[in-house]
Amino acid sequence: MKDILLLGKKILADKSPVIFKYSPDETWEKYWDIMTGQWKHEDGYLIGEERGNFGGILMTKERFEEDVMFSFTIGTVLPATRDVNAVFCANWNDGRDYLGESYVCGLNGWYEHKCGIERNFGKGFGTNLYSTTSNYTYTPGSEVRMTCGAINGHTFMVVDDVLITELIDPTPIRGGHLGFSAYCTKLKIKDIEVRRIVWEEFIQKYEPEF
């Protein structure tokens, strides 16, 4: 895993200790809670499916209070093509019986095949904070290695060692669960890892070019 260069921060990947590592097997329900959707274990993968226009959400039983980054191999199960999504710093809203304050990141989402990060305030569509791009194209059915996380609200998403987007939240969420959101799609996930983030200040400045 490579170091991650963010605005003003360098995440030191090799110095960030692994605090949870999991390859899906028959014991998966020991570590995960099905919140919505249909989830199962099959052939070494977690398989999640939701046909409605909302997220089929699977979350860790464990809550992580430290700044962590969440890595996994993920892809759609064809003919599903969209919303390769994960959640982090995630909380559940019991009143709505749905995802509460959380960060959501994903590929081929937001109805227009965009990729990005969403800060979910847990109040419904249209109230959230977004950072999205159309510059990355996910190939449906393929598997990618995704890493996402936050340092006191400085969120990021990396795909196959390339930083796709980052979002600095002025009202950060601190701590929460990790998981996945199969939003009107079908996903497969394996090789899951959580690291406690170790980072250092990354001094950035311009030198004259002319």
Side-chain angles (χ1 to χ4, degrees):
M1 185 176 183
K2 296 181 180 180
D3 291 347
I4 301 172
L5 303 182
L6 304 175
L7 285 170
K9 298 179 178 70
K10 179 191 286 188
I11 295 176
L12 306 175
D14 289 343
K15 294 183 179 180
S16 297
V18 176
I19 57 176
F20 178 73
K21 193 175 183 69
Y22 179 68
S23 295
D25 59 16
E26 293 80 4
T27 68
W28 68 278
E29 290 179 284
K30 177 180 177 182
Y31 304 100
W32 305 90
D33 282 326
I34 299 173
M35 310 305 291
T36 52
Q38 294 78 49
W39 289 88
K40 63 181 179 179
H41 163 259
E42 186 177 281
D43 297 329
Y45 290 87
L46 294 175
I47 306 293
E49 179 177 357
E50 175 53 62
R51 294 177 179 269
N53 189 34
F54 55 91
I57 297 169
L58 185 75
M59 294 205 306
T60 55
K61 290 182 181 291
E62 183 176 354
R63 182 180 171 91
F64 298 89
E65 301 299 344
E66 301 174 288
D67 291 333
V68 297
M69 53 184 171
F70 183 33
S71 300
F72 43 87
T73 299
I74 189 169
T76 64
V77 178
L78 295 174
T81 65
R82 58 186 177 234
D83 283 83
V84 182
N85 295 345
V87 298
F88 54 102
C89 298
N91 296 277
W92 195 253
N93 186 320
D94 291 325
R96 296 178 64 223
D97 195 25
Y98 195 59
L99 194 63
E101 287 198 313
S102 308
Y103 297 117
V104 181
C105 68
L107 311 176
N108 277 26
W110 289 275
Y111 306 103
E112 299 294 335
H113 302 289
K114 295 177 181 178
C115 304
I117 298 172
E118 172 180 336
R119 199 276 198 205
N120 181 3
F121 287 91
K123 298 178 182 179
F125 184 76
T127 65
N128 299 338
L129 179 67
Y130 304 88
S131 172
T132 61
T133 178
S134 299
N135 291 331
Y136 176 90
T137 301
Y138 167 73
T139 301
S142 67
E143 295 184 9
V144 296
R145 187 68 179 171
M146 185 184 293
T147 297
C148 56
I151 303 170
N152 190 25
H154 190 160
T155 67
F156 57 90
M157 178 177 66
V158 173
V159 179
D160 292 334
D161 289 326
V162 176
L163 179 66
I164 303 302
T165 191
E166 55 189 305
L167 171 68
I168 298 176
D169 182 1
T171 57
I173 306 169
R174 296 305 304 270
H177 301 272
L178 306 171
F180 307 98
S181 174
Y183 198 104
C184 199
T185 193
K186 186 173 183 178
L187 302 177
K188 56 182 179 181
I189 303 117
K190 66 177 182 178
D191 300 333
I192 298 162
E193 181 181 88
V194 181
R195 291 177 183 256
R196 179 174 57 81
I197 295 175
V198 174
W199 64 280
E200 65 184 18
E201 185 179 5
F202 182 42
I203 303 298
Q204 295 165 294
K205 64 179 183 178
Y206 281 128
E207 297 293 344
E209 291 183 316
F210 53 91

